[in-house]
Amino acid sequence: LGDEQDAAGVTYRILSTVVEPVPSSHGPVALSMVAGIAVADGSTPVHKMLATSTEAATRAADTGGFHLTDLRRPTA
């Protein structure tokens, strides 16, 4: 992905795939999808990426949607 907006666009498309109850052998099941995204580059330490991904997923679950955090260094 090229940037934060690309990541958000992909996330919205994934989240939109479940908008109605999903059929099951026991009848329709309502699902709530959430997504936590951490955008990083090669300069981001792995431990920071993992911690930020976990935090983004937690925030997404709290809000019932998605949360995106950009860890890349700002470009001048």
Side-chain angles (χ1 to χ4, degrees):
L1 299 173
D3 61 20
E4 184 177 337
Q5 291 217 338
D6 288 346
V10 170
T11 302
Y12 276 124
R13 286 192 293 279
I14 291 169
L15 290 174
S16 72
T17 62
V18 177
V19 294
E20 297 180 14
V22 176
S24 77
S25 60
H26 300 288
V29 176
L31 297 177
S32 295
M33 290 180 58
V34 298
I37 309 281
V39 178
D41 58 23
S43 67
T44 305
V46 173
H47 71 278
K48 185 168 185 165
M49 181 73 173
L50 291 172
T52 302
S53 297
T54 301
E55 181 182 332
T58 300
R59 287 185 179 186
D62 289 345
T63 63
F66 88 97
H67 181 82
L68 188 145
T69 301
D70 192 346
L71 295 171
R72 296 172 297 166
R73 293 184 179 157
T75 56

